Amino acid sequence: MTDDITDLSGSNARGRSVDASELAKFEAMAAEWWDPNGKFKPLHMLNPVRLDYITSRIAAQFGRDARSLRPFEGLRILDIGCGGGLLTEPMARLGAEVTGVDAVERNIEVARVHAAQQGLDIDYRATTAEAIAEEGGQFDVVLALEIVEHVVDPADFIATCAALTRADGAMIVSTLNRTAKSFGAAIIGAEWIMRWLPRGTHEWNRFITPDELAAMMAQAGKPAVDRRGMVFNPIRWDWSLSDRDLSVNYIITGVDAG
């Protein structure tokens, strides 16, 4: 991985899902990953709900007791687009052997420093999902959260994620639905009004509907077995999971078709 993000354009076979213009956005924000009031404030607010969902699905898939001290001991987890490690670190604390990958080298630098400060042993790599797949990587769980809307070819990226997931494993993907409500919440609200994120962080036409994502996962051999909305309540100022409202943020689990 070089500091020149133009080397990571769609023409690079080792990182064909990577969009150089999207990388540039996150390169500029990398130093703020662990600031709960910085540019990643929305993810810090959303993180507890994402973690609740992920831990419950992994525990269900592998018959683990999520209430135990290290329920994911012995499991290999890959966090694609890990950023500064907001999800990677909790997975490591729960006992998993965790690999975090991100195409933005500065994100990995931040993640490594923070993990070391916390005394966590995490395999962070400045690379791409495609490169890990070319190495023959196989994981019990593959996480791809808030990244599929930023890649060049979502269907190809999902196929790579599926290839990285063991036959009896689980692939968990979250993204934004392409609705008028998501435009209002994620772009007008989060970027223009609240200024939680810089303008242009998201492009509404790149958002993906739950049915579209489920179809990609099924085509890749990891059909959806569960889908939930992640809903923000502006009155209580918190997030919750919903079985019905997938109109803005949502998360889907896919497992082997066989």
Side-chain angles (χ1 to χ4, degrees):
M1 173 83 175
T2 72
D3 289 330
D4 182 0
I5 60 173
T6 60
D7 289 345
L8 294 172
S9 67
S11 63
N12 183 349
R14 286 179 62 78
R16 61 183 179 272
S17 67
V18 177
D19 186 319
S21 63
E22 293 297 297
L23 286 189
K25 297 174 186 177
F26 292 95
E27 178 84 12
M29 298 187 287
E32 298 195 48
W33 271 106
W34 288 97
D35 180 358
N37 295 307
K39 291 184 173 66
F40 293 102
K41 181 176 181 177
L43 283 183
H44 281 272
M45 295 171 63
L46 177 61
N47 217 37
V49 168
R50 297 194 305 179
L51 282 170
D52 284 348
Y53 178 85
I54 291 166
T55 54
S56 67
R57 294 310 308 177
I58 295 175
Q61 180 69 17
F62 295 97
R64 304 296 180 92
D65 182 359
R67 297 166 297 179
S68 63
L69 185 61
R70 292 171 64 84
F72 300 156
E73 197 85 55
L75 296 180
R76 298 189 70 218
I77 296 180
L78 174 65
D79 184 8
I80 302 172
C82 64
L86 298 188
L87 280 169
T88 323
E89 288 195 6
M91 293 297 103
R93 289 192 177 94
L94 291 170
E97 177 188 337
V98 187
T99 299
V101 304
D102 201 294
V104 177
E105 191 163 7
R106 286 189 64 201
N107 287 346
I108 292 299
E109 292 170 359
V110 170
R112 284 174 177 159
V113 169
H114 196 272
Q117 291 171 341
Q118 303 300 309
L120 295 171
D121 182 14
I122 297 172
D123 180 15
Y124 279 120
R125 307 183 197 179
T127 186
T128 63
E130 291 83 7
I132 299 294
E134 287 176 11
E135 296 169 4
Q138 285 282 283
F139 299 85
D140 299 292
V141 180
V142 172
L143 306 176
L145 307 183
E146 281 71 58
I147 182 175
V148 68
E149 70 271 22
H150 297 289
V151 303
V152 172
D153 185 336
D156 184 67
F157 174 72
I158 290 298
T160 300
C161 293
L164 287 163
T165 310
R166 279 178 37 186
D168 61 345
M171 180 172 69
I172 302 177
V173 185
S174 67
T175 188
L176 287 151
N177 198 349
R178 194 175 61 254
T179 62
K181 187 175 179 180
S182 71
F183 185 88
I187 296 178
I188 295 176
E191 295 184 18
W192 299 0
I193 298 175
M194 300 303 295
R195 297 183 181 178
W196 284 338
L197 294 167
R199 283 200 180 202
T201 298
H202 291 109
E203 298 177 35
W204 181 83
N205 64 336
R206 299 180 77 149
F207 292 178
I208 299 167
T209 71
D211 287 344
E212 289 170 346
L213 180 56
M216 294 177 198
M217 294 171 73
Q219 181 65 31
K222 292 288 181 183
V225 295
D226 186 82
R227 60 173 83 179
R228 304 285 180 89
M230 296 183 288
V231 181
F232 180 67
N233 186 315
I235 297 175
R236 296 198 308 264
W237 207 250
D238 64 9
W239 290 83
S240 62
L241 291 170
S242 172
D243 294 328
R244 299 180 179 179
D245 187 356
L246 283 71
S247 59
V248 183
N249 297 81
Y250 67 94
I251 189 164
I252 295 182
T253 299
V255 299
D256 194 76

